[in-house]
């Protein structure tokens, strides 16, 4: 009976009004679904209490419901424990505060919200209360502090039974993530749209509740007369939007984070929002939500597309083992999820053409700080530079908090202008701490800070109550943002992030360089950690500055690496043949280069084999017809598949006079003679080397004196652990080459790569460190398995 009355009411309100207008007085029901969760505990109830404290005298009455899946007996005490901890705004007297808190607790209750019936009974309860107390209803606010997969279902339940009647508003608040790419965001949006109207949904980005962020548009408006002439490409050097964190991800967040990574977690939403606020066309009326949202949307349509050359990514060193632990992945699992990213965006509009916009965020960085900075060009040349204000950076900084300054602020360098900040909510700071903020002492800025610091969630909750939609993410805006990020995310799916040690030890390895439309790491750093297995104290972390062992390095997944090397080899061949008509190539044995040989045989049909001479770097003292022989495997995997004249093939003469590697037979001298006669200056065009677990290269083993072979080019050598003797090119021969490629692949080589990254040149211990072409170049080709283990 009662239920049918309710149904009628529900039907009546299906055309319920919506409220961009000032709140109409009346009763407001607040429902926090997930009301005992972390977010609710930390921010939401505090925000709702503040709302209550401020609005209770404004003609509204309230009731509060904490909802969740747990039964009421279990969750009620939990909820009240949280509610008892709320604190009053600073301007409320202790006496009044106590009273407000007591009232707040009395108006609150827990309700199990699991089934459609639960929602129905909540609606009945609200309705009954309204009737009993003869109140008009102003609206219902549902805050969904639950995982995103539950949104669609809860949305339906709200639409099914909780819509308010008689022109009262319904507002449903959602927390990110709103999908993980364009497609999934679209699916979620359309699911929600079937139960909620667009104007009823409030997608939270808590950044928009930060006081400094929400001041960006008003600041731009109030200071228009100063900014109009300089807010353009002629004057802006670049825009930086940066959120640096010092924490890692572990502690339960990994299952979420590993699916998302820093770009989805921070750049797609927080930093993108700040970017749009900085670059959007100013609305003629900043209080007009619709105009603000429209102008924001326009920014997306003029952004240049982002591809993988517009981003660099990183991952802190211990992340992968944290994933292994928390996700129980198999040892050796490699997560490519970035925990650091720097992205370069450009807006294709006359006003901003060519202005670099950097968006940067990461975990485990040296400090916790967030800011947006507009750095202006400075064309003044100060002859006597010392402390001359005209030559200092000209910049405006929106400082979100933490960092050296420790408080949120808007800073304008004094060589720009003294900003106007209307209203009483901001105050000028005149006493400066002796800190430097982005290259300038605080005293070189006009500094404005909020008169009272307010929590972002409390601000946003107040905006929701007032129906201010400009601080929320509209569906269009959300999809436009995913439209911007999705192609980049896709292009990065198999990109390998740079591994960084974390904290101050990152040094300059995450510095980036902008070149035209592209961004790259400034240093070609290779990091190698000594401690992939076990001990992972940050101090044992070794960062190689520049390149690998100060030579150039190419690194990629095995297949790409092999292809890169094959292509480089072909390029060298074509260049040599173009120059002198012939290409002298020396190849190593062992199993590592086999993949390269197959690649050359099966994919490089245009390789100029006819003009190529193939030499051996080293050979085992076995007959060339035995599988053990380096030549044999080279022949099987490469030579027999390509059209190379047989007289261009130069196996080492390990077998002479029916015996193997006898000094007196002079095999080494014979090879050396061939080499000197055929190869100009005994200088190979290209030498391919590998490196053994013990650091040997070619057949030059540890323990031998580096200069043992003097000026010889070829020598008989002996491996300490193996019975067979070898024939090998000497350091002298190798170091005369024009190009030397050192190929290192496989996880098993990781420990060695680590050691090699740290040791000085010690050819007697690590023969490979004796490879130093005197007039040529050395390139290390190291696959990711070997590089990071
Ligand atoms: C909500 O539910 C009603 C009734 O079931 C349905 O007609 C309507 O399409 C739903 N969605 C919205 C946004 O009202
Ligand atoms: C700006 O917009 C707000 C909200 O739409 C409105 O109340 C106000 O009157 C507008 N101000 C002007 C100057 O148009
Ligand atoms: C981790 O995986 C192993 C093997 O699949 C399984 O035996 C073990 O119970 C798992 N541990 C946890 C904590 O999930
Ligand atoms: C041999 O190398 C030298 C030095 O690189 C060069 O000047 C000369 O032209 C080369 N000779 C031939 C025959 O290619
Ligand atoms: C390097 O080049 C110089 C000058 O061309 C030459 O004298 C020297 O012998 C070369 N060194 C080697 C190891 O090839």
């Amino acid at each position: 009976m009662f239920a049918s009355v309710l149904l009628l009411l529900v039907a009546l309100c299906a055309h319920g009004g919506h409220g961009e207008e000032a709140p109409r007085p009346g009763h407001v029901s607040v429902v926090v679904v997930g009301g005992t969760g972390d977010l609710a505990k930390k921010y939401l109830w505090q925000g709702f209490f503040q709302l209550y404290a401020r609005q209770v005298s404004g003609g509204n009455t309230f009731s509060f419901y904490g909802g969740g899946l747990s039964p009421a007996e279990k969750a009620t005490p939990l909820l009240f424990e949280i509610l008892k901890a709320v604190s009053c705004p600073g301007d409320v007297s202790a006496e009044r505060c106590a009273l407000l808190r007591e009232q707040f607790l009395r108006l609150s209750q827990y309700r199990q919200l699991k089934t459609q019936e639960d929602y129905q009974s909540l609606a009945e309860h609200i309705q009954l209360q309204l009737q009993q107390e003869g109140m008009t209803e102003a609206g219902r606010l549902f805050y969904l502090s639950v995982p995103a997969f539950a949104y669609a279902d809860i949305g339906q339940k709200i639409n099914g039974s909780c819509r308010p009647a008689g022109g009262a508003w319904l507002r449903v608040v959602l927390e990110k993530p709103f999908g993980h790419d364009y497609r999934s965001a679209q699916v979620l949006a359309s699911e929600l749209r079937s139960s909620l109207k667009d104007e009823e949904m409030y997608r939270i980005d808590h950044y928009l509740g930060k006081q400094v962020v929400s001041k960006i548009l008003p600041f731009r408006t109030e200071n228009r007369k100063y900014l109009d002439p300089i807010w353009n490409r002629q004057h802006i050097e670049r825009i930086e939007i940066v959120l640096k964190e010092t924490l890692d991800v572990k502690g339960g967040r990994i299952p979420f984070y590993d699916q998302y990574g820093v770009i989805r977690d921070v750049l797609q939403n927080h930093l993108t929002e700040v970017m749009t606020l900085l670059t959007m066309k100013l609305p003629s009326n900043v209080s007009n939500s619709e105009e603000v949202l429209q102008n924001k949307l326009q920014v997306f349509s003029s952004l240049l597309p982002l591809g993988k050359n517009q981003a660099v990514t990183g991952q802190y060193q211990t992340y992968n083992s944290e994933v292994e632990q928390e996700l129980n992945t198999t040892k050796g699992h490699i997560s490519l999820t970035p925990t650091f990213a720097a992205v370069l965006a450009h807006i294709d509009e006359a006003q901003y053409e060519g202005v670099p916009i950097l968006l940067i965020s990461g975990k485990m960085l040296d400090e916790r700080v967030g800011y947006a900075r507009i750095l202006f060009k400075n064309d003044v040349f100060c002859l006597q530079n010392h402390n001359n204000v005209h030559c200092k950076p000209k910049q405006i900084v929106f400082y979100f908090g933490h960092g050296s300054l420790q408080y949120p602020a808007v800073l304008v360098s004094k060589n720009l202008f003294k900003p106007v900040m209307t209203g009483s909510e901001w105050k000028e700071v005149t006493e400066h701490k002796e800190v430097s903020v982005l290259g300038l002492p605080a005293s070189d800025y006009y500094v404005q800070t909020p008169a009272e610091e307010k929590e972002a969630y409390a601000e946003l909750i107040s905006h929701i109550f007032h129906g201010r939609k400009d601080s929320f993410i509209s569906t269009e805006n959300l999809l436009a943002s995913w439209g911007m990020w999705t192609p980049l995310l896709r292009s990065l799916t198999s990109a390998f992030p740079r591994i960084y040690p974390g904290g101050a030890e990152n040094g300059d390895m995450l510095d980036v360089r902008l070149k035209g439309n592209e961004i790259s790491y400034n240093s070609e750093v290779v990091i190698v950690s000594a401690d992939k297995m076990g001990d992972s104290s940050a101090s044992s972390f070794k960062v190689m500055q520049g390149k690998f062992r100060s030579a150039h390095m190419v690194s990629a997944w095995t297949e790409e690496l092999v292809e890169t090397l094959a292509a480089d080899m072909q390029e060298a061949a074509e260049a040599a043949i173009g120059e002198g008509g012939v290409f002298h190539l020396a190849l190593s044995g062992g199993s590592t280069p086999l993949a390269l040989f197959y690649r050359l045989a099966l994919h490089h049909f245009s390789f100029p084999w006819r003009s190529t001479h193939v030499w051996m770097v080293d050979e085992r003292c076995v007959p060339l017809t035995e599988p053990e022989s380096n030549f044999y495997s080279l022949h099987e995997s490469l030579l027999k598949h390509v059209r190379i004249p047989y007289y261009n093939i130069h196996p080492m003469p390990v077998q002479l006079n029916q015996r193997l590697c006898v000094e007196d037979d002079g095999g080494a001298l014979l090879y050396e003679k061939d080499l000197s006669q055929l190869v100009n200056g005994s200088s190979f065009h290209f030498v391919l080397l590998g490196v053994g677990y013990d650091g040997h290269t070619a057949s030059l083993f540890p323990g031998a004196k580096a200069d043992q072979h003097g000026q010889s080019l070829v020598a008989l050598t002996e491996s300490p652990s193996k019975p067979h003797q070898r024939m090998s090119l000497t350091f002298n021969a190798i170091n005369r080459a024009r190009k030397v490629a050192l190929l290192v692949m496989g996880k098993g080589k990781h420990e060695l790569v680590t050691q090699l990254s740290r040791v000085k040149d010690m050819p007697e211990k690590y023969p490979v460190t004796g490879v130093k072409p005197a007039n040529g170049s050395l390139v290390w080709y190291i696959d990711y398995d070997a590089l990071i283990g």
Side-chain angles (χ1 to χ4, degrees):
M1 173 64 183
F2 188 49
S4 65
V5 171
L6 263 174
L7 283 178
L8 184 64
L9 284 168
V10 170
L12 277 174
C13 77
H15 325 273
H18 59 91
E20 288 262 337
E21 325 76 33
R24 70 172 199 177
H27 189 75
V28 178
S29 307
V30 172
V31 186
V32 181
V33 186
T36 53
D38 274 351
L39 185 74
K41 182 173 173 178
K42 225 166 148 184
Y43 300 112
L44 302 184
W45 287 116
Q46 181 60 41
F48 282 114
F49 176 60
Q50 288 200 12
L51 177 73
Y52 175 68
R54 300 218 180 278
Q55 293 302 326
V56 69
S57 52
N60 287 102
T61 54
F62 288 87
S63 45
F64 299 93
Y65 303 90
L69 299 177
S70 312
E73 314 83 79
K74 206 171 137 215
T76 301
L78 277 177
L79 178 68
F80 277 86
E81 211 167 293
I82 297 169
L83 296 182
K84 278 181 204 147
V86 296
S87 58
C88 288
D91 55 359
V92 175
S93 73
E95 202 178 331
R96 181 160 163 69
C97 180
L99 180 69
L100 285 171
R101 280 165 58 163
E102 194 200 302
Q103 288 170 347
F104 183 63
L105 291 178
R106 213 152 20 84
L107 296 170
S108 303
Q109 61 171 277
Y110 180 85
R111 293 192 75 94
Q112 184 173 32
L113 291 177
K114 206 169 172 180
T115 61
Q116 184 72 56
E117 290 70 40
D118 292 334
Y119 282 83
Q120 174 111 19
S121 112
L122 170 67
E124 286 164 11
H125 174 86
I126 293 172
Q127 203 54 47
L128 187 63
Q129 193 190 20
L130 288 168
Q131 279 173 350
Q132 283 174 345
E133 308 196 11
M135 296 182 293
T136 18
E137 181 162 32
R140 297 181 188 180
L141 194 166
F142 285 81
Y143 199 117
L144 309 194
S145 180
V146 296
F149 63 78
Y151 290 167
D153 177 52
I154 297 176
Q156 272 176 17
K157 287 172 176 148
I158 292 172
N159 188 43
S161 48
C162 291
R163 285 187 167 277
W169 48 256
L170 171 66
R171 292 176 192 154
V172 179
V173 189
L174 308 164
E175 278 279 345
K176 70 169 190 179
F178 311 117
H180 56 90
D181 59 9
Y182 183 82
R183 189 75 198 101
S184 55
Q186 207 178 28
V187 168
L188 180 60
S190 75
E191 281 174 354
L192 282 167
R193 207 177 281 137
S194 70
S195 42
L196 299 168
K197 300 189 186 91
D198 224 16
E199 68 264 20
E200 292 169 340
M201 284 187 267
Y202 287 69
R203 290 189 191 81
I204 287 246
D205 182 326
H206 78 271
Y207 248 59
L208 295 179
K210 286 184 179 283
Q211 284 166 295
V212 169
V213 175
S214 64
K215 187 65 184 174
I216 293 175
L217 277 189
F219 174 90
R220 289 182 56 196
T221 308
E222 288 158 5
N223 292 282
R224 219 171 165 153
K225 70 169 181 229
Y226 303 115
L227 294 176
D228 270 352
I230 59 171
W231 205 262
N232 54 52
R233 69 192 186 97
Q234 278 82 17
H235 293 86
I236 299 179
E237 172 85 30
R238 66 169 181 266
I239 298 175
E240 301 162 4
I241 303 159
V242 178
L243 171 61
K244 290 166 68 173
E245 299 182 87
T246 50
L247 295 178
D248 56 18
V249 193
K250 65 170 183 274
R253 269 201 89 209
I254 293 237
F256 165 80
Y257 198 88
D258 202 48
Q259 297 292 308
Y260 282 76
V262 67
I263 294 179
R264 293 181 170 92
D265 194 37
V266 175
L267 277 74
Q268 179 272 325
N269 36 61
H270 307 325
L271 303 195
T272 303
E273 286 302 315
V274 173
M275 177 185 75
T276 56
L277 290 172
L278 289 171
T279 55
M280 65 188 268
K281 192 164 145 271
L282 281 180
S284 51
N285 178 354
V286 269
S287 314
N288 184 331
S289 292
E290 210 154 301
E291 198 186 351
V292 170
L293 290 174
Q294 273 314 312
N295 289 8
K296 267 177 132 172
L297 200 56
Q298 270 176 19
V299 174
F300 291 104
S301 57
S302 47
L303 273 172
L304 288 178
L306 297 177
K308 67 170 185 259
N309 293 334
Q310 282 74 52
V312 294
T313 59
Q315 185 188 79
Y316 64 83
Q317 190 208 351
T318 52
Y319 178 78
N320 201 57
S321 58
E322 288 164 15
V323 171
E324 269 178 21
Q325 254 166 40
E326 293 199 22
L327 297 187
N328 199 12
T329 54
T330 51
K331 194 127 184 105
H333 165 87
I334 291 179
S335 166
L336 293 181
T337 304
T339 63
F340 169 85
V343 173
L344 175 61
H346 280 100
I347 293 179
D348 190 19
E349 257 183 33
Q351 188 178 1
Y352 300 112
E353 196 187 318
V355 175
I357 304 174
L358 268 171
L359 301 111
I360 302 186
S361 183
K363 303 265 177 201
M364 290 284 274
L365 301 182
D366 60 316
E367 63 169 338
R368 178 180 184 197
V369 67
Y371 63 85
R373 148 160 98 156
I374 296 85
L375 177 69
F376 293 91
K377 294 176 183 169
N378 195 342
D379 50 12
V380 180
F381 170 76
C382 299
L383 187 58
Q384 197 167 334
N385 208 341
H386 184 67
N387 227 14
N388 188 333
V389 70
H390 300 295
C391 285
K392 292 184 171 179
K394 286 186 189 175
Q395 57 197 19
I396 297 173
V397 182
F398 296 95
Y399 204 80
F400 310 148
H402 305 290
S404 56
L405 205 54
Q406 289 297 317
Y407 53 83
V410 177
L411 304 100
V412 179
S413 59
K414 284 186 176 163
N415 53 11
L416 275 175
F417 58 87
K418 186 167 186 347
V420 179
M421 307 280 260
T422 55
S424 59
E425 295 194 350
W426 290 73
K427 60 172 197 237
E428 191 174 350
V429 180
T430 46
E431 299 287 300
H432 296 290
K433 287 193 280 182
E434 285 201 11
V435 294
S436 160
V437 182
L438 299 174
L440 279 182
S443 55
D444 278 357
Y445 292 98
Y446 296 110
V447 182
Q448 298 271 349
T449 189
E452 185 195 345
E453 273 195 51
K454 293 181 183 161
E455 179 48 56
Y457 277 100
E459 289 287 280
L460 290 175
I461 282 171
S462 155
H463 291 185
I464 298 162
F465 178 74
H466 289 99
R468 273 191 52 187
K469 292 223 72 174
D470 53 316
S471 343
F472 299 87
I473 314 297
S474 68
T475 308
E476 278 176 304
N477 197 313
L478 175 72
L479 292 177
S481 176
W482 278 121
M484 161 187 181
W485 290 102
T486 302
L488 175 68
L489 286 163
R490 202 172 293 142
S491 78
L492 291 175
T493 36
S494 58
F496 196 85
R498 170 171 287 193
I499 307 294
Y500 58 95
E505 286 199 54
N506 296 336
D508 59 5
M509 67 180 301
L510 298 179
D511 293 355
V512 293
R513 168 196 296 264
L514 310 183
K515 201 167 163 199
N517 189 25
E518 302 193 349
I519 187 172
S520 58
Y521 280 122
N522 186 37
S523 60
E524 291 184 49
V525 175
V526 174
I527 340 162
V528 174
S529 73
D531 38 40
K532 247 359 224 198
M533 349 269 176
D535 166 34
S536 60
S537 68
S539 61
S540 59
F541 200 94
K542 195 75 180 179
V543 176
M544 297 284 306
Q545 287 299 340
K547 309 167 176 195
F548 189 75
R549 295 192 56 80
S550 60
H552 190 61
M553 184 192 76
V554 177
S555 191
W557 290 115
T558 310
E559 201 174 326
E560 287 164 49
L561 185 75
V562 164
E563 173 47 30
T564 306
L565 175 52
D568 290 353
M569 198 177 266
Q570 177 159 355
E571 196 183 306
E574 280 158 3
I577 291 162
E579 197 186 300
V582 64
F583 177 55
H584 287 286
L585 172 65
L587 296 173
S588 287
S591 56
T592 305
L594 291 180
L596 173 70
F597 298 159
Y598 285 126
R599 183 93 207 169
L600 284 168
L602 300 176
H603 292 271
H604 284 251
F605 296 112
S606 60
F607 197 99
W609 291 112
R610 280 181 192 287
S611 309
T612 297
H613 281 255
V614 172
W615 301 81
M616 301 302 296
V617 161
D618 63 337
E619 186 56 275
R620 293 184 163 92
C621 294
V622 295
L624 299 181
T625 49
E626 286 195 9
E628 273 246 283
S629 152
N630 286 344
F631 180 77
Y632 180 88
S633 66
L634 175 64
H635 186 264
E636 291 302 299
S637 53
L638 177 63
L639 299 179
K640 79 174 192 192
H641 304 290
V642 299
R643 302 235 168 136
I644 182 165
Y646 77 89
Y647 45 83
N648 282 11
I649 299 176
H650 306 276
M652 281 182 161
V654 284
Q655 192 172 23
L656 291 168
N657 305 322
Q658 278 132 33
R659 44 191 199 172
L660 289 165
C661 295
V662 173
E663 193 89 48
D664 290 346
D665 293 332
L669 279 176
L670 210 58
Y671 204 59
E672 181 164 323
K673 211 170 111 205
D674 277 1
L675 201 167
S676 332
Q677 279 174 357
L678 285 170
V679 182
N680 184 11
S682 302
S683 172
F684 288 113
H685 293 107
F686 202 107
V687 176
L688 173 72
L689 298 175
V691 54
Y693 294 104
D694 58 357
H696 83 257
T697 191
S699 280
L700 303 167
F701 294 95
K705 290 255 179 303
D707 56 358
Q708 184 184 8
H709 306 294
Q711 292 303 301
S712 318
L713 299 172
V714 186
L716 287 177
T717 66
E718 190 153 0
S719 131
S721 58
K722 305 233 175 77
H724 285 122
Q725 282 189 307
R726 309 282 190 110
M727 189 177 287
S728 176
L729 295 183
T730 63
F731 283 121
N732 182 32
I734 291 167
N735 288 335
R736 285 169 167 271
R738 304 260 199 100
K739 281 197 156 72
V740 177
L742 256 160
L743 179 60
V744 191
M745 301 202 295
K747 279 198 179 42
K749 294 279 169 70
H750 173 66
E751 200 57 27
L752 173 71
V753 166
T754 303
Q755 285 171 29
L756 289 177
S757 71
R758 311 167 145 208
V759 299
K760 297 196 289 271
D761 293 348
M762 302 165 70
E764 286 168 29
K765 188 141 190 267
Y766 299 99
V768 70
T769 64
V771 175
K772 307 205 110 202
N775 296 328
S777 59
L778 167 65
V779 181
W780 289 82
Y781 293 81
I782 307 182
D783 76 351
Y784 289 142
D785 286 339
L787 195 61
I788 61 128

